[in-house]
Amino acid sequence: MTWRPVFIFSLTLRPLPVGEGWGEGHSEMNMKVTAVLLAAGQGTRMKSDLPKVLHPLCGKPMLWHVLEALKEVTTETPLVVVGHGAEAVTKYLGESAQTVLQEPQLGTGHAAMQAESLLKGKTDLIIVTYADMPLLRGETFKRLVETQRLNAGPFSLLTVRADDPRGFGRIVRKADGTVEAIVEEYVATPEQQQIKELNVGAYCFNAEWLWDALKRIEKNPKKGKYYLTDIVEIAVKDNLPVQAVVHDDFIETIGINTRVHLSEAEAAMRMRINRGHMLNGVSMMNPEMTYIEAGVKIGKDTTILPNTYIHGKTVIGEKNVIGPNTIIRDTTIGNGCKILESVIEGAVLEDDVDMGPFARLRKGAHLKSHVHMGNFGEVKDSTLHEGVKMGHFSYIGNADIGANTNIGAGTITCNYDGEKKHPTTIGEDAFIGSDTMLVAPLTLGNGARTGAGAVVTKNVADDTLVVGMPARAIRKVERKNRKK
Ligand code: UD1
Ligand code: CA
C-alpha cells in the first residue's frame, strides 16, 4: 500500500458585496426557488366553459405541462394564482401546488401581488410565468434562473426574437443595449411595433425586491389594470439592471389565447414527444399522424404506424408493431406484439401477442404471451393464458381461459344474468366449438370440448366432450326461384 499526499483546500466565506449577483454566496443546494403561475384570467378568446389552463395538450392540461417544466428548476411547491374557474383548477391541482385566489382579476401585476401573503420571506428566487405557455421547457427556465443567479439586478426575463409578434409585448432597449421597458402591443408606437424582440412571459425575481416593486406598479389608466410588465420600468428608474435571456426557439414560446393557438401548440408538442421517442429508438412511419400523450413510455425497435393514439399511463416494450388505426389507453404491453387496427383500454398484454384487425380489449383484460386474438373479439375482466387462440367474433367476460385453449368463432361467455356478473373458468388445452354459449357461472376442465352451437349450462369435466341439440328436419319447404 502506498501513501498519497492529501490536499486540504480552505474555503473562505465572505459577505455578498453590493453589485454582485443575488445568487452568489448561496450554493445551488440551499437556494430556494419557487414558481408562481398566473392562471386567473378568463381566457375569453378560448370561448369555452372550461378554464383555459385546463384545456388539454397531448392529453394533459396546459397547466400540467408548465408545472412539469418548472419542476426541473424549482425547489419548493409551486403557487398557482387562480380566479376564473378557480374551483376546477384547484381541484385539478390537488396536492401538486398551493393556490391563492385573485378576485377580481386586475391584471398580471395584480395577480403576482397575490403571492406575497404566502411566499414573503419563504424563498430566495421567484419565477413568475403565465400558465398559458405550455411549450416552455425546463432547460429554458434553467437558463433564466442561472442568469438571475449571476445578475446584480433584481430580475431577469425571457425574450424571443420573431417576425410574427402574435400580440406579444415588445422589448424596448436603451442605446447601451440594456432593457428599458416592455411595451404592450396596444400602446406601442408604430416604430415600437416593428421591434422583433418580444416578451415571452417568464421572469425570475429576487423575492425580497419583488414585493415592494409590485406595490409601485401603477394602474394602467386605459385598461384599469396592473401590468406585471411595468415592473421593468420600476427597476430602470432605480438604476438596477434587468437581464434578458434571449431565446431563439419561437415555437417554444407559443402562448395560447385562442383554439387556433391551442392546435398549433398541440402540433408542436406532438412533434416534440414523437421526436423524443424516435431518438430513443422507436420508429414512426408518419409522426405527424401519430398521437402519443405526454408520459407514455415506449421501448426501442417498436414501430408505431399512422393514425395510432396512445394515451394515459401506457407502457410499451420493445419490438412491437402497433397500428395503423389503433387506440391504446392505460395499458401495459410487453415485447414482440403485433397489434393491428384495435382498441385497447386498461389491459395487460405480455409478449408476442398477436391482435386484430378490429379487436377490442376492455378494462381488466390480461393476455399472456403468445395469445392470438383475431377480428371482432372483445375481452373484459378476463385472463387468457399462454397460447390461447381466439380467432373470430367472440366475447369473453369475467373468465379465466387456460393455456393453449382454442376459442371457436362466435363463442360467448354469457356472464350477466341481468343482475349479476358470473365467472367462467376453462382449463388448458380445451377446444370450444364455434358459437358455443357458456352460461356462467361455469367451469370446463382441462381438455374439455364443446360441439358447435352448444349451450353449456353445467360444468364440464376434464377431457369430456359436450354437444348441444343438433338441428332436426321438420318439414319439406318450397324453394323460391327453383330452376326447372
Ligand atoms: C402577456 C404579457 C405580454 C406577453 C404575453 C406573452 C402582460 C401585461 N402582458 O400578455 O407582454 O408578451 O403575455 O404570452 O403581462 N392572468 C391572471 N390574472 C389577471 C390577468 C391575467 O392570472 O388578472 C393570467 C392569465 O390567466 C394568463 C396570464 O396571466 O395565464 C397572461 O395573461 P394574458 O391575458 O393571456 O396576457 P397576454 O395578453 O397574453
Ligand atoms: Ca397569453
Side-chain angles (χ1 to χ4, degrees), residues 4-48:
R4 289 165 204 268
V6 178
F7 296 101
I8 297 167
F9 293 97
S10 74
L11 288 172
T12 321
L13 293 175
R14 60 190 166 87
L16 179 68
V18 180
E20 279 204 22
W22 293 100
E24 276 185 34
H26 294 258
S27 79
E28 296 219 357
M29 294 295 285
N30 60 27
M31 188 135 198
K32 288 186 179 162
V33 184
T34 310
V36 174
L37 261 90
L38 309 188
Q42 187 166 16
T44 327
R45 292 165 277 182
M46 293 295 282
K47 307 222 165 107
S48 177

Side-chain angles (χ1 to χ4, degrees), residues 23 121 217 257 466:
I217 293 180
N257 295 331
V466 295

